[in-house]
Amino acid sequence: TAACEHVCKIEQCNRTVKERSRGTISEIRDTGFKNFHKMIIVPVIYFMVKMLNTVPVRLRISHEHAPEEIVMGQKLDAKKDLWLRFGAYVDDSHDSIITNDMTDRTHLCISLGPSGNLQ
C-alpha cells in the first residue's frame, strides 16, 4: 500500500498496543508517578509487543505456535521473562567490589523488563 493509504488491520494492531501500554502505565501511575520519561515509555511499548507476540492467536497462521516462536525461534520462558512485574520496585545490587563497611549495596529502581542475564 502507499504511504497515504489507510490499512485497517495495521491500525487495529497499533491501537491494541497503545491500549495495553496505557493499562501498564496506569498500573505504574498508581504507585505515585505522574510524568513519564521516554526511557519508561519506550520499554513499555517493547514489552507489550513482546507479550502480544508470545501468545498463540486462534485466527492466525498457527493455533499452536506464537508469532515470535515462528519468526524468531524463541519461546516465552516465564522464569526469565516474567519473574518481575513491569514497573515493579526493585532493589538492584550495584557493588562490584565487596567491602565490609555499612554502606548500601543496593539502590531502589523500577523494573523495565528482563535484562537477559538470568541463568
Side-chain angles (χ1 to χ4, degrees):
T1 62
C4 61
E5 290 183 15
H6 177 74
V7 181
C8 296
K9 195 67 173 169
I10 294 173
E11 292 293 328
Q12 181 182 7
C13 291
N14 290 342
R15 188 171 51 245
T16 302
V17 171
K18 286 181 181 180
E19 288 171 354
R20 304 276 174 98
S21 299
R22 284 187 193 116
T24 303
I25 290 291
S26 69
E27 286 182 14
I28 299 171
R29 198 168 298 208
D30 289 342
T31 62
F33 284 99
K34 300 296 177 205
N35 299 321
F36 294 98
H37 192 268
K38 185 169 65 171
M39 289 179 67
I40 294 177
I41 300 296
V42 172
V44 167
I45 302 296
Y46 284 143
F47 181 75
M48 281 301 119
V49 171
K50 180 174 179 64
M51 290 299 108
L52 287 171
N53 285 333
T54 56
V55 178
V57 182
R58 232 182 334 147
L59 301 172
R60 299 295 169 110
I61 296 171
S62 175
H63 299 290
E64 302 157 358
H65 302 290
E68 183 175 348
E69 188 177 348
I70 295 170
V71 175
M72 302 294 289
Q74 298 174 347
K75 203 170 191 174
L76 179 68
D77 187 5
K79 287 185 179 180
K80 288 184 179 180
D81 298 330
L82 300 177
W83 69 282
L84 273 178
R85 184 178 55 87
F86 190 92
Y89 282 115
V90 180
D91 279 328
D92 187 32
S93 176
H94 63 81
D95 60 335
S96 57
I97 300 172
I98 298 175
T99 59
N100 289 330
D101 57 1
M102 296 301 290
T103 59
D104 289 338
R105 294 184 181 172
T106 62
H107 63 279
L108 192 63
C109 56
I110 298 173
S111 169
L112 297 178
S115 63
N117 62 359
L118 296 176
Q119 297 182 14

